[in-house]
Amino acid sequence: MGLRITLFVTALLLSGAASLKSQAYFNETADLPCQFTNSQNISLGELIIFWQDQQMLVLYELYLGNEKPDNVATKYLGRTSFDQDNWTMRLHNVQIKDKGSYQCFVHHKGPKGFLHLFQMTSELSVFANFSEPEIRLLSNITEKSGINLTCSSSQGYPQPIKISFLLKTQNSTVEHDGVMVISQDNDTELYNVSASLSVPFPDGTNNVTVICVVYTDSTEIFSPPFNTVLLDSSKPEDQILLVAIVTILIISALVVIFIVALFLNKRKKRQQQQIAGSCEETIKMESEETKERVKIHEPEQNDEEAQCIVIHYSKTPSGNNNATHF
Ligand SMILES: *[C@@H]1O[C@H](CO)[C@@H](O)[C@H](O)[C@H]1NC(C)=O
Ligand SMILES: *[C@@H]1O[C@H](CO)[C@@H](O)[C@H](O)[C@H]1NC(C)=O
Ligand SMILES: *[C@@H]1O[C@H](CO)[C@@H](O)[C@H](O)[C@H]1NC(C)=O
Ligand SMILES: *[C@@H]1O[C@H](CO)[C@@H](O)[C@H](O)[C@H]1NC(C)=O
Ligand SMILES: *[C@@H]1O[C@H](CO)[C@@H](O)[C@H](O)[C@H]1NC(C)=O
Ligand SMILES: *[C@@H]1O[C@H](CO)[C@@H](O)[C@H](O)[C@H]1NC(C)=O
Ligand SMILES: *[C@@H]1O[C@H](CO)[C@@H](O)[C@H](O)[C@H]1NC(C)=O
Ligand SMILES: *[C@@H]1O[C@H](CO)[C@@H](O)[C@H](O)[C@H]1NC(C)=O
Ligand SMILES: *[C@@H]1O[C@H](CO)[C@@H](O)[C@H](O)[C@H]1NC(C)=O
């Protein structure tokens, strides 16, 4: 019922027969008329009406008022019907292969035998509407990858002219032509098409609506709008990670410094205790002597110098001299 047929009488052939253009959709029904004006009011019982394709294969024959399948080619058997009111033959379940020219013939069986009365040619074009284009993401949208998506549409005929993408932002619409990839179904001869788009995310926005358009000879088919949003989430994630790493590094550094400081401090204390110990001994020893002297104490396993300076002043007033030894 949804079938729309447009018929144009385009030319009158030199033979006087009319040629007519007929259109049908794939898998639907084609009307192939025979525009014979029966001015003499000849009854169908005296007429032979039949249709042939380009290869002279018979699609349908009405012989003296009765359908006669004997001459009908097997590929057309069961696919045709005839409307006696307007002399139109209908071809059902139209395939892409059915496109081409068809001829109807009208012969009159009179007393003197068969007489050719009429003949006309129809050109049948077959169309299939491409499916609504569908957009799919090829990779998630990030600032680095930009917009990377594909659009596909299937089961159409004939080939589309082009596929393009409309990128709509708040203030502008930019059109990008896609590189079309076409494949054909060997069996049905229908086409599947796809195109991909890979563009940087437009500046100054984080919200772009993409619409894919498939252009055919007769029409433009639009995909549903596909919203792409540049999420800032990738950036904060990185920043959080960075902050975390830096924090951990700083904390570790502080801990290491603290431990080292503690260690050094402890060792210093220990050394000072050692020094203090040795100094006491020295003082004891020294105090037994009655000499002024300075002792330098050097710790065994240390690069850091700890000094113990002990200075004794002789209480004997007859001190020869005040000497300092290092
Ligand atoms: C042809 O039409 C029939 C119903 O009319 C449907 O079931 C079938 O899927 C259609 N085939 C194709 C290839 O579109
Ligand atoms: C044609 O013939 C039918 C009967 O076969 C008749 O009813 C009709 O009026 C005729 N029409 C013309 C235009 O002669
Ligand atoms: C012929 O008539 C039938 C109904 O009687 C109609 O469905 C069809 O569209 C007509 N065809 C043309 C070519 O007028
Ligand atoms: C194909 O598309 C046209 C308009 O784009 C529409 O009028 C027609 O009904 C569609 N045919 C089928 C079979 O879907
Ligand atoms: C996009 O990212 C999600 C996780 O964030 C992942 O599950 C999905 O597979 C990704 N999609 C593509 C097309 O890379
Ligand atoms: C787009 O996605 C495809 C498939 O995942 C990939 O091969 C290609 O490198 C991507 N392009 C960009 C610009 O990210
Ligand atoms: C279609 O036919 C071509 C060659 O004629 C062949 O290479 C291809 O594999 C066929 N595809 C299918 C889906 O049968
Ligand atoms: C869009 O236009 C509005 C006002 O017309 C302006 O405030 C805004 O900045 C524009 N946005 C972009 C991305 O240019
Ligand atoms: C993107 O912008 C459209 C209109 O410009 C708006 O309707 C939609 O809510 C926005 N989406 C986001 C996620 O901002």
Side-chain angles (χ1 to χ4, degrees), residues 38-43:
N38 192 359
S39 52
Q40 292 167 285
N41 203 7
I42 305 169
S43 117

Side-chain angles (χ1 to χ4, degrees), residues 84-157:
Q84 296 195 1
D85 296 335
N86 52 23
W87 288 50
T88 296
M89 189 198 74
R90 308 190 83 194
L91 176 63
H92 305 287
N93 188 22
V94 168
Q95 302 296 299
I96 303 298
K97 298 176 185 71
D98 290 328
K99 68 189 193 313
S101 66
Y102 295 88
Q103 284 186 302
C104 87
F105 296 88
V106 179
H107 292 178
H108 182 216
K109 193 189 183 201
K112 297 177 217 154
F114 289 100
L115 183 70
H116 178 89
L117 284 185
F118 178 78
Q119 163 181 1
M120 74 167 277
T121 302
S122 305
E123 282 300 327
L124 176 64
S125 313
V126 181
F127 298 90
N129 285 347
F130 278 94
S131 66
E132 184 177 73
E134 190 188 350
I135 293 178
R136 269 189 313 114
L137 277 183
L138 281 175
S139 58
N140 279 328
I141 291 164
T142 62
E143 204 142 26
K144 203 170 140 207
S145 68
I147 297 174
N148 191 9
L149 45 75
T150 181
C151 171
S152 55
S153 176
S154 60
Q155 304 280 297
Y157 194 92

Side-chain angles (χ1 to χ4, degrees), residues 238-254:
D238 287 352
Q239 283 173 355
I240 288 168
L241 197 68
L242 196 71
V243 167
I245 289 173
V246 167
T247 308
I248 289 171
L249 283 178
I250 289 174
I251 289 175
S252 331
L254 285 175

Side-chain angles (χ1 to χ4, degrees), residues 2-4 24-26 28 127-130 216 218-221:
L3 180 76
R4 267 191 18 183
Y25 285 113
F26 177 82
E28 293 191 0
F127 298 90
N129 285 347
F130 278 94
T216 68
S218 54
T219 185
E220 298 163 12
I221 314 164

Side-chain angles (χ1 to χ4, degrees), residues 215-235:
Y215 293 86
T216 68
D217 284 315
S218 54
T219 185
E220 298 163 12
I221 314 164
F222 294 81
S223 74
F226 186 93
N227 281 325
T228 64
V229 177
L230 181 60
L231 294 171
D232 283 338
S233 70
S234 66
K235 267 171 113 185

